[in-house]
Amino acid sequence: MVRSSGSPDRADNRAGDRAGDSAGPAVRSSRDGYAGLPVGAFLDALAAGSAAPAGGSAVALVLAQAAALCAKTARLSARQLTAERAGPLTAEAEQVRARAASLIDDDARAYRAVLEQTRPRAGESETPGQSGPTGPSGHTEPSAAAGESGSAGQNRTAGESGTAGQNRTAGESGAAGRLVAALSDAADVPLRMVELSVPVARLAATLAAGGNPALRGDAVAAGLLAQASARAAAELVTINLAAMPDDPRHARAADLLAAIAEVLAGPFGRAT
């Protein structure tokens, strides 16, 4: 989705995505997707010059690992927690692990959907994602527009005041609108990562406080990994929604981060 789940900050990769991997060997996902790759092959895929998988998929993997550590700790804490309590904690951790792992490929798909909107369609300008650095909103830097402020730019504007100019403006608006819509959809993937980080942090806190003391380090590691995943995913949400500053998902992500910090502060013995 993606450094984001689909951030057009990675739009510079689109040439490599179209022309092949010039920065390293091409790595394809397995039949089960990127989540089904061996660890080494997944790392190769992350390092390759293709657009996906990228940051969002990496975040999802880290979150899945945090949940897996919680499952391990719960399984080995039946004596301390009783089997009746350890069983449900293990099941919850496994469920979150599966959901987090599914986001590895969801993020890659979401980013490809964003990438598709940076490619011009017939009759449309290449404004979104072309000519120079691209910001999170998919708009090009203002230097080109500034360069047209003189007579040449004025003549060009005047020349477009008829039907051709109207068609071009409408085309750019449609392309930009589709890009923003794709980014909005892509923001949902890292937001789900932030949301899933909350139960992982709670599981980790519970296990660190009352689980098998020999595995307290695993529980603490799980909590810190979950928090790191949430922070990274929240940043991806921010990047994808840069053109939508009033979107409520900004506040939602911030609230979830605060909740995770509060959950981990007590049993981990310090604010995180």
Side-chain angles (χ1 to χ4, degrees):
M1 120 217 325
V2 184
R3 183 185 60 241
S4 144
S5 50
S7 165
D9 273 3
R10 295 209 322 257
D12 289 343
N13 287 335
R14 63 188 182 278
D17 200 44
R18 286 195 296 262
D21 186 354
S22 60
V27 181
R28 301 297 179 188
S29 64
S30 72
R31 243 172 48 177
D32 298 324
Y34 292 111
L37 290 174
V39 172
F42 183 76
L43 293 176
D44 286 343
L46 279 179
S50 55
S57 295
V59 170
L61 176 59
V62 171
L63 180 57
Q65 290 176 308
L69 281 173
C70 287
K72 174 192 289 290
T73 305
R75 278 195 173 91
L76 297 176
S77 295
R79 181 179 300 176
Q80 290 77 17
L81 298 172
T82 74
E84 290 75 15
R85 191 177 178 204
L89 291 176
T90 302
E92 182 183 0
E94 290 286 18
Q95 183 180 41
V96 176
R97 180 180 73 146
R99 292 171 64 188
S102 72
L103 296 179
I104 295 172
D105 287 283
D106 285 351
D107 185 80
R109 282 190 289 270
Y111 176 62
R112 290 194 182 98
V114 172
L115 190 66
E116 187 61 30
Q117 299 309 321
T118 69
R119 296 168 181 167
R121 300 187 181 185
E124 289 183 347
S125 167
E126 293 190 13
T127 298
Q130 82 157 38
S131 65
T134 306
S137 65
H139 297 154
T140 54
E141 295 295 324
S143 57
E148 291 179 358
S149 62
S151 58
Q154 292 168 357
N155 291 339
R156 181 173 178 274
T157 302
E160 289 183 351
S161 61
T163 303
Q166 292 170 354
N167 289 342
R168 182 180 182 279
T169 301
E172 289 179 356
S173 176
R178 287 193 301 271
L179 178 58
V180 170
L183 285 167
S184 178
D185 291 342
D188 286 335
V189 181
L191 183 60
R192 289 202 297 273
M193 297 177 200
V194 184
E195 291 169 343
L196 285 175
S197 298
V198 176
V200 176
R202 287 176 179 156
L203 284 166
T206 297
L207 293 166
N212 187 336
L215 278 80
R216 186 175 184 276
D218 297 282
V220 170
L224 294 176
L225 288 173
Q227 185 175 50
S229 298
R231 286 174 173 171
E235 184 62 26
L236 301 183
V237 172
T238 299
I239 291 170
N240 285 337
L241 298 179
M244 296 160 272
D246 297 327
D247 192 293
R249 286 172 288 182
H250 289 289
R252 170 72 172 156
D255 289 345
L256 291 169
L257 290 180
I260 291 170
E262 183 177 355
V263 165
L264 297 182
F268 282 30
R270 58 184 174 82
T272 55

